[in-house]
Amino acid sequence: MQRRHSTAWLVLSTAAVSGLRAPPLRMSAGPGYETDRFAGRYALGKNLPTVSTKQGMQFAWRGKDQPVRVLGGASSEVLGGKNLADVLRKGFEIEERAFHALERGEAAEPLSVHTSAGVPQALDDFLEALQPHLPQWAQTEDDWCVNLQAEGSSAVHAAIDMAIQATQPGADLTAPTARTRVACGASSYHGPASTSPGGGIPLGAAAKGLTHPVRYPVPSPFLRYREESDAEFHERLLAEYMEYLDTYEHELGVVLFEPQWGSSVASTPWPPQLLRAYVTEAKRRGLAVICDEVMCGLGRHGQDPRGATGCFLTECWDLRPDAVTFGKSIGGGAGHLLSGAILLTGASQLAQSSRTALQSHTYAGSSARALCNGAALLNRLTSLRTNVQAVEKAVKPTLDKLRHDSGGRVLTQGQGALWGGLFAHSDLAERTAANVALKKKCAERGVLPYFVPVGGFMLTPRYDDDPALLTSAVEDLAQCCLEVVEEMSWSTDDLLPLAKPAEVTITSTTTTTTSASEPIVQEALAELEKPCEHLSDRDRAIVQLNTAYYHRCPQAWSVAAKHARAASLEDEAIAALARGAAPPFAPTSRDAAVHASTVSLLRNRGLSRSESALALLGAEGVASLVQLVGRQASSALTLNVFDQTTEQPWEADAALLTDAELAALVAMAGAADDADVCLQHGCDMDEAILAEKEAAEVAPELY
């Protein structure tokens, strides 16, 4: 399979332009957004323009002649214009009355109440409006409660701690053997990657708290094999999921699902029957289940209700989890923040043991305006179903045509008012390069989808966006995508799904050489399986993965990946090593020392800096590491000579990189999140090409 490294490296070189050679900050005597003092979503100095006015999907950016058509900001808004005004009305009137009372020095209706001092009057209205939207079985059992937060990641944390407490009454959750770990999907996003479940580990695994380092398999296009039918794919995944639970259920307290992904897999919905099987198996084993619907809830999914209102996909697909989360535009999408976690069953357990959600803070559910907005939106939600259906009719035909016209180079998927497109190259660097080109073309056409770092886009229109304007904007986006894939010139052999990796065992081999070589192959395979004195299983796995990738040995990689997962090496680390990139190990950790020493031995045939390795591993450990690298390299070279397989199993592991993993990859060029937006800001392409050499020197592949 040929690789176009120059295109992929252009992404890193672009990052070098925007990060390593960024212009000086425009610091002045005064504070403010225009002086680059705002460290926000993007790297300092790379912020998007100020929005002066909004009308539906049309945003007026300061300094731009024409409005930009924004195709939804990750489910942050559901209504605009008069519809939004109607949702905001009651809260606005409360604030207006409070303002005049305060101005007169009189007692005023509270706009916010500290959580230790009471709750706003609007809370009653919100709870009354919420109840009809719960799954019918939860309403019938009447054993539910809700915790309120300000944003989605806090709602997820609240759901986790409530579900663990409710499903493990009386357990000592502080004991070393406590079942408190949280299982997340191989592709998932539940909040900022630094501390939230899912995503990557930019601050190390310890910052992720309860998140289990090993992820369960999910039905994403990154994990599917070529020539594999839907039924075969789902059967394999379910078997691997059950094996995952067999291995880790004694550590787990919660399994976390996204019924329809957001940015991590570009709006792909789970197959409902497979998701029900996953949920059922987890609950059969006594594990709590949470469905994170911050992105797809509030009817955005567009599926038919099953006994209630269809607010949650959980209800529509009869998933029956222990808890479900909501957030984003539940507060109206106008800046009044609100999110929450609903414990659908088990509230009585919390009450009997005098417990509540542990996740709380000053403004958790304390905004009167947000609660008023949420109640108003919930009360009119069923009437918006036809609007969501109209969004699907405006978007789906164009995206279906894009998938066809691109020859499968853009995978499109979605439902209701949540859609996405994914560049289908199996190499993340190629998808990233395509994303950079797409951002530039979209900027030229005045259309802005939500770009996802796995390589593609997400569309989350407002439910009442004008269908004709929406269709026109999506058509422009589709044309941009077609131009990108034409320029990229990808071969069909490079597209997802991935080729099935070679299966490796000691008792059999996939070698195509003569029978005389089989004893040699078997001896090499046996060497790969041997333990190593003075090194842990995790140490051995890091050495094996590096060595297998360095020599591009398929069988050695398959064995190494098996050992890595058995040793609980994080998927992010495996995926980084599968790209020849530096894994996100803490700089002073034993993992980092083992990795750096192995790389030095492979590249330099020696240890240029042995002090840290000696300090962390000891002399015997370093000696064992040197011997292990030698033995593993010998086996890999032997297998490369006597085994003619063309499979590249590391590609499947490399494809596991998601949102934060991509950020970590680009961060090797010193630019963090910059590559996500630099061309959209008019970064000059010639300058990017001239910087390619500089970027390669700063962030080369390790091998």
Side-chain angles (χ1 to χ4, degrees), residues 626-641:
V626 172
Q627 294 167 7
L628 180 60
V629 170
R631 295 198 305 271
Q632 294 289 314
S634 175
S635 294
L637 290 169
T638 299
L639 292 169
N640 281 346
V641 170

Side-chain angles (χ1 to χ4, degrees), residues 78-79 83 377 380-389 463:
V78 292
L79 296 172
N83 290 325
L377 181 60
R380 66 183 299 166
L381 194 60
T382 54
S383 68
L384 298 174
R385 179 170 301 280
T386 55
N387 296 81
V388 174
Q389 292 169 346
Y463 299 174

Side-chain angles (χ1 to χ4, degrees), residues 506-551:
I506 296 179
T507 57
S508 65
T509 177
T510 57
T511 181
T512 56
T513 58
T514 64
S515 58
S517 67
E518 187 161 337
I520 300 173
V521 171
Q522 293 299 328
E523 183 180 358
L525 288 170
E527 183 63 47
L528 295 177
E529 295 284 353
K530 289 181 180 179
C532 187
E533 192 177 10
H534 305 302
L535 294 179
S536 69
D537 290 344
R538 186 179 176 94
D539 297 336
R540 179 181 68 155
I542 294 170
V543 172
Q544 287 183 313
L545 289 169
N546 274 296
T547 309
Y549 184 83
Y550 180 80
H551 293 292

